[in-house]
């Protein structure tokens, strides 16, 4: 194993006043202090998306069981359903809450999905309390609940089913507590439809545009998925998803913004659309971000609704190069990509420069 050094690339910084304004006020308990004192290691926690022997990438239905730790050349990922992001967690959640505050359309809920939103909230809060007991707690008394998250300073009581008892409603409340984007899909007439979501960190797509579409419509722009039968197989997998197992898969891209900015949704494109060209022109290719999406699939226990939740990770090309095997493999994968896939992923115009840098 080649061990990567700690990250030297800073994540976006927010002033204390900005964090406080969105309610991010960590309690200074010993457990919180210890958690936040650990430097973020973006390479060490990166879910590397390629098997060691892979040299050419094509889309597949690459699912495996979740909540299983996976070792990489730089560290480990996947032990918990929710990866908080280490000491970056308050920063990530500040960015997410700012996205929600600036654009309420990041949350879309079609009629009939209200109970599924409560189902999702309870599933995740219970999981978080089990995964991080020194930092988070959920107290249950019948339909009355109390959620405490020491890392953000959250202390919220709510009543199951009472939308007015919880700020923002159950779906957005959960989105403001975890880094993951949240998508709920339901089956109608033999198809799966995206019927509710809280999405702040989309990679150049829009929750407002996609909500209400079926899986074929959502993935229509992705080359080769339909012709190779991948969408059909993925839909059948999700329709048959058992209630007692959780699965995951990985997707990857080169982020359209060269900073560790998570919000690159279509809604915020005026804020980041010109960043890449300007940054590369200034010679900043090492800051370009390798973006990984860890997707989790769960059949929720109360409603049977299926989740398609996305946790975004990023490491700069400089950080990728700290693991020589990764740099070499990523260069080979990008260099071999067919033109249609490279074009869809959006970095074809600067792929030669990325490959050269990874091999330098």
């Amino acid at each position: 194993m080649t061990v990567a050094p700690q990250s030297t690339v800073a994540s976006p910084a927010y002033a204390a006043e900005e964090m406080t304004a969105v309610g991010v006020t960590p309690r200074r308990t010993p457990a919180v202090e210890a958690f936040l004192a650990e430097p973020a290691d973006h390479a060490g926690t990166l879910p590397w998306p390629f098997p060691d022997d892979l040299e050419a990438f094509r889309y597949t239905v690459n699912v495996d069981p979740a909540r299983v730790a996976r070792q990489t050349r730089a560290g480990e990922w996947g032990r918990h359903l929710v990866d908080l992001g280490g000491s970056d967690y308050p920063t990530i959640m500040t960015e997410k809450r700012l996205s929600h505050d600036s654009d309420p359309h990041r949350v879309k809920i079609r009629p009939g999905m209200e109970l599924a939103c409560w189902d999702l909230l309870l599933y995740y809060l219970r999981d978080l309390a089990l995964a991080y007991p020194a930092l988070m707690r959920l107290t249950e008394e019948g339909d009355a609940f109390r959620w405490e998250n020491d890392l953000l300073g959250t202390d919220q009581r709510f009543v199951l089913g009472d939308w007015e008892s919880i700020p923002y409603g159950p779906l957005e409340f959960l989105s403001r507590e975890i880094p993951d984007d949240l998508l709920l899909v339901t089956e109608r007439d033999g198809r799966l439809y995206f019927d509710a979501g809280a999405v702040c960190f989309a990679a150049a797509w829009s929750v407002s545009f996609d909500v209400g579409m079926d899986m074929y419509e959502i993935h229509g722009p992705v080359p080769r998925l339909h012709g190779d039968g991948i969408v059909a197989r993925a839909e059948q997998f999700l329709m048959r998803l058992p209630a007692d197992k959780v699965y995951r898969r990985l997707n990857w891209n080169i982020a359209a913004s060269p900073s560790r900015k998570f919000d690159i949704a279509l809604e915020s494109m005026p804020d980041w659309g010109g960043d890449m060209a300007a940054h590369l022109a200034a010679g900043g290719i090492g800051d370009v971000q390798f973006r990984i999406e860890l997707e989790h699939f769960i059949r929720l226990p109360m409603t049977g609704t299926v989740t398609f939740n996305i946790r975004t990770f990023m490491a700069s090309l400089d950080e990728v190069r700290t693991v020589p095997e990764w740099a070499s493999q990523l260069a080979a994968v990008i260099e071999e990509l067919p033109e249609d896939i490279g074009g869809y992923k959006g970095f074809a115009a600067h792929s030669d420069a990325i490959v050269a840098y990874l091999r330098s």
Side-chain angles (χ1 to χ4, degrees):
M1 175 187 294
T2 302
V3 179
Q6 296 291 324
S7 165
T8 58
V9 180
S11 296
Y14 295 99
E17 294 80 6
E18 293 177 287
M19 301 180 79
T20 301
V22 294
V24 176
T25 54
R27 297 190 186 95
R28 294 302 174 180
T29 68
V32 169
E33 296 284 7
F35 185 89
L36 296 180
E38 288 292 325
D41 181 5
H42 302 117
T45 57
L46 190 71
W48 189 252
F50 310 129
D52 288 346
D53 59 351
L54 183 137
E55 297 178 352
F57 171 83
R58 299 295 183 272
Y59 289 109
T60 61
V61 186
N62 55 326
V63 297
D64 67 291
R67 295 194 184 99
V68 177
R70 292 282 297 273
Q71 301 298 316
T72 71
R73 297 182 186 277
E76 177 191 286
W77 66 274
R79 183 174 297 275
H80 300 301
L81 178 65
V82 177
D83 184 306
L84 298 177
S87 57
D88 277 351
Y89 174 60
T91 300
I92 295 170
M93 298 317 303
T94 298
E95 181 179 350
K96 204 154 188 259
R97 291 182 178 195
L98 287 170
S99 294
H100 276 302
D101 288 347
S102 65
D103 184 3
H105 297 292
R106 300 298 181 95
V107 180
K108 292 292 181 181
I109 303 170
R110 288 171 60 84
M113 295 299 292
E114 293 82 5
L115 183 57
C117 293
W118 286 108
D119 201 0
L120 181 70
L121 174 68
L122 288 188
Y123 187 95
Y124 267 80
L125 295 189
R126 285 167 173 162
D127 185 88
L128 288 164
L130 290 172
Y132 305 101
L135 302 165
M136 302 176 180
R137 295 166 298 283
L138 181 66
T139 306
E140 306 185 30
E141 295 181 6
D143 288 340
F145 296 81
R146 181 185 182 186
W147 169 246
E148 298 172 272
N149 179 349
D150 293 343
L151 287 170
L152 299 182
T154 308
D155 187 347
Q156 179 63 46
R157 298 177 187 270
F158 62 90
V159 176
L160 182 65
D162 182 357
W163 211 272
E164 300 301 319
S165 69
I166 191 167
Y168 313 106
L171 184 59
E172 184 173 339
F173 178 84
L174 178 60
S175 180
R176 288 171 174 264
E177 293 290 304
I178 64 174
D180 306 52
D181 283 326
L182 307 167
L183 296 84
L184 295 170
V185 296
T186 54
E187 184 177 348
R188 297 196 302 276
D189 303 321
R191 287 281 177 89
L192 286 178
Y193 289 82
F194 170 33
D195 278 348
V199 181
C200 291
F201 296 158
W205 62 276
S206 166
V207 60
S208 295
F209 184 77
D210 283 6
V211 74
M213 292 184 179
D214 66 30
M215 286 190 64
Y216 289 85
E217 293 169 322
I218 290 172
H219 293 98
V222 185
R224 306 190 183 210
L225 287 193
H226 293 295
D228 292 347
I230 293 171
V231 174
R233 293 199 298 275
E235 185 177 60
Q236 287 301 308
F237 168 79
L238 292 176
M239 285 181 175
R240 297 170 182 170
L241 188 68
D244 60 341
K245 290 183 172 60
V246 179
Y247 290 89
R248 65 191 179 195
R249 73 178 291 271
L250 294 170
N251 193 18
W252 67 275
N253 206 334
I254 301 296
S257 172
S259 68
R260 209 181 301 277
K261 177 179 174 62
F262 286 88
D263 181 6
I264 56 169
L266 286 182
E267 290 91 341
S268 60
M269 194 170 186
D271 297 330
W272 57 264
D275 289 354
M276 183 66 83
H279 205 73
L280 293 180
I285 192 168
D287 294 335
V288 169
Q289 302 291 314
F290 186 44
R291 180 180 172 113
I292 311 297
E293 293 180 349
L294 172 58
E295 302 164 356
H296 277 101
F297 312 111
I298 306 161
R299 186 173 295 281
L300 296 172
M302 289 194 298
T303 61
T305 305
V306 173
T307 72
F308 189 103
N309 298 332
I310 304 171
R311 168 67 163 95
T312 298
F313 297 78
M314 284 186 284
S316 69
L317 296 187
D318 276 344
E319 291 168 323
V320 170
R321 290 205 312 177
T322 63
V323 185
E325 296 90 344
W326 283 2
S328 176
Q329 184 180 42
L330 181 57
V333 166
I334 291 175
E335 192 171 49
E336 193 279 336
L337 272 184
E339 184 176 348
D340 55 350
I341 297 179
Y344 170 74
K345 285 186 172 288
F347 56 85
H350 42 273
S351 60
D352 289 346
I354 291 173
V355 169
Y357 186 75
L358 288 169
R359 287 182 170 155
S360 64

